[in-house]
Amino acid sequence: MTDSGKKTLGRIFSGAQPTGDMHLGNYLGAIRNWVRLQEDYECIYCVVDLHAITTFQDPRLLAGHTREAAATYLAAGVDPKESILFNQSQVPAHAELAWIFACVARMGWLNRMTQFKDKAGKHREKASIGLYSYPTLMAADILVYKATHVPVGDDQKQHLELTRDIAQKFNSDFGVEYFPLVEPLILGGATRVMSLRDGTAKMSKSDPSDYSRISLTDDPDTIARKFRKARTDGEPLPGEIAGLKDRPEALNLVTIFAALADRKRDDVLADFAGQGFADFKAALTDLAVEKLGPLTAEMIRLKDDPGYVDGVLRDGARRAAAIAEPILREVRDIVGFLRP
Ligand code: TYM
């Protein structure tokens, strides 16, 4: 049961890092789904500022970025009465359970994490220990609420498999049936939105080129310019999706179009079959402006009301802690710590 007393299909936890502007990949891969799931699930949505500092964040900017991320959730339609919306560092239970999980997870498991390899790159020895143990904190985020379902983009799948491994090993090490095995919810037609400059690379905040991504704060002119400059090939659009094999940039634009329009990709292609990209990109721009415009306007409005956003986060942290603390107390007992 949620605060509002309705039946639910389970408890959802998800989050995003406050590391600057959110982009279309975050929206289509995750946040849009979070909004839709509020109907049937008890939802807990977090701005993961502890995760953000696994790579250095300017302390003068971090609080602002945290508010901005929360404003994005709200503007997209996360309802702070229906769901819990808070920032991770306000609920210390996450960090405490992460330590316990750091003692359950094995180095061999973490060594296999592709996100660490991508982010650390050639400078593995210089990466922070936090970046390496990042997935144990993510497992703690989810399991400190005993969440059952986690809606994410495709890139987080491996971290959720690790979360299941940690839950399983904790249960078997301590001889309990305590933590649930979470189910990833990788939903919608755009679970992996690609860069506008390279259809084989993920759209990401860390790409140095601003033209690689549509930011949720972009104005209509910027959106138009970015789609106009988006890389494509010289072939006309085919009549069905099979015709986009080995054409990653074209496939990405069609996938984005279909996701924004809530239509099947084959149906979109049926409208544009045989045409070049100029008309398609113009239609894509109109669609993106129509769908994202209200969200961007609401984000701008919330930016002028930091007191409201801070209040939502504070209230959310209080409600989140009320769920997490009793669970953490049970975990402490299971581990065998002396009671305070
Ligand atoms: P983050 O901040 O990188 O991204 C937030 C969400 O956006 C999705 N996403 C994408 N989806 C489709 N295409 C893309 N190009 C794209 N880029 C990002 C991500 O899959 C994610 O769902 N580790 C997480 C944050 C996290 C978390 C958690 C998530 C921390 N604890 C617990 C779920 C549960 C991350 O860095 O997301």
Side-chain angles (χ1 to χ4, degrees):
M1 293 284 194
T2 60
D3 293 0
S4 57
K6 73 182 179 193
K7 276 190 185 225
T8 73
L9 300 178
R11 181 179 284 164
I12 294 246
F13 182 94
S14 200
Q17 298 192 57
T19 42
D21 276 350
M22 300 266 185
H23 54 70
L24 191 58
N26 298 130
Y27 179 65
L28 294 177
I31 299 172
R32 187 171 72 157
N33 299 324
W34 301 355
V35 175
R36 295 175 175 180
L37 290 163
Q38 294 179 112
E39 286 266 313
D40 298 319
Y41 292 83
E42 177 188 3
C43 295
I44 305 173
Y45 295 128
C46 185
V47 179
V48 294
D49 48 3
L50 298 176
H51 276 110
I53 64 162
T54 56
T55 56
F56 184 76
Q57 302 297 315
D58 185 337
R60 290 165 302 184
L61 302 180
L62 183 60
H65 284 161
T66 299
R67 272 191 204 111
E68 238 173 71
T72 309
Y73 299 7
L74 291 168
V78 169
D79 176 349
K81 295 213 166 56
E82 189 76 21
S83 304
I84 294 178
L85 196 175
F86 74 108
N87 62 306
Q88 197 183 22
S89 65
Q90 286 203 60
V91 180
H94 292 238
E96 188 172 339
L97 186 59
W99 175 256
I100 294 172
F101 284 169
C103 302
V104 171
R106 304 291 93 182
M107 302 245 316
W109 301 355
L110 291 172
N111 287 339
R112 286 197 287 276
M113 294 297 111
T114 54
Q115 183 166 301
F116 175 74
K117 290 183 201 162
D118 290 347
K119 287 202 172 172
K122 292 192 197 80
H123 309 292
R124 215 185 138 98
E125 299 295 318
K126 292 200 171 137
S128 72
I129 294 175
L131 190 66
Y132 181 70
S133 65
Y134 181 113
T136 62
L137 177 58
M138 188 160 154
D141 295 339
I142 298 164
L143 294 175
V144 85
Y145 303 98
K146 289 190 167 182
T148 53
H149 296 80
V150 184
V152 284
D154 182 67
D155 61 334
Q156 296 299 315
K157 206 163 144 190
Q158 195 185 30
H159 287 158
L160 295 185
E161 280 158 15
L162 190 88
T163 301
R164 291 168 64 97
D165 290 343
I166 289 176
Q168 212 150 26
K169 185 160 191 307
F170 180 95
N171 289 347
S172 96
D173 282 356
F174 294 101
V176 288
E177 275 307 319
Y178 190 72
F179 285 121
L181 299 186
V182 292
E183 290 296 334
L185 293 177
I186 299 177
L187 303 170
T191 57
R192 193 174 182 82
V193 177
M194 308 310 276
S195 156
L196 302 182
R197 308 298 297 162
D198 173 0
T200 64
K202 193 181 70 169
M203 183 177 285
S204 139
K205 285 177 214 162
S206 53
D207 191 314
S209 167
D210 209 32
Y211 280 94
S212 68
R213 62 188 158 259
I214 302 289
S215 292
L216 298 180
T217 49
D218 282 345
D219 60 28
D221 286 346
T222 310
I223 293 177
R225 200 164 352 104
K226 287 181 174 176
F227 277 134
R228 229 179 6 252
K229 284 185 179 265
R231 194 165 150 191
T232 45
D233 51 46
E235 301 290 313
L237 282 158
E240 49 195 44
I241 202 75
L244 291 176
K245 192 169 172 285
D246 302 325
R247 298 174 66 186
E249 284 82 16
L251 177 66
N252 187 39
L253 293 183
V254 171
T255 302
I256 292 173
F257 193 115
L260 282 171
D262 262 322
R263 294 175 64 196
K264 292 205 172 67
R265 290 181 299 187
D266 274 332
D267 294 344
V268 171
L269 282 172
D271 289 352
F272 290 94
Q275 296 187 32
F277 282 94
D279 289 346
F280 178 76
K281 284 178 165 182
L284 177 57
T285 300
D286 289 346
L287 178 64
V289 169
E290 179 200 323
K291 297 288 177 180
L292 301 179
L295 189 155
T296 309
E298 181 62 3
M299 280 172 70
I300 293 168
R301 195 187 69 75
L302 288 169
K303 200 171 179 174
D304 288 335
D305 199 354
Y308 170 72
V309 176
D310 289 3
V312 166
L313 292 173
R314 222 176 300 121
D315 175 60
R318 192 185 44 74
R319 288 159 59 207
I323 301 173
E325 277 164 12
I327 292 176
L328 191 62
R329 269 199 297 278
E330 288 178 345
V331 173
R332 286 196 198 115
D333 280 349
I334 291 170
V335 173
F337 290 144
L338 189 65
R339 285 197 184 162

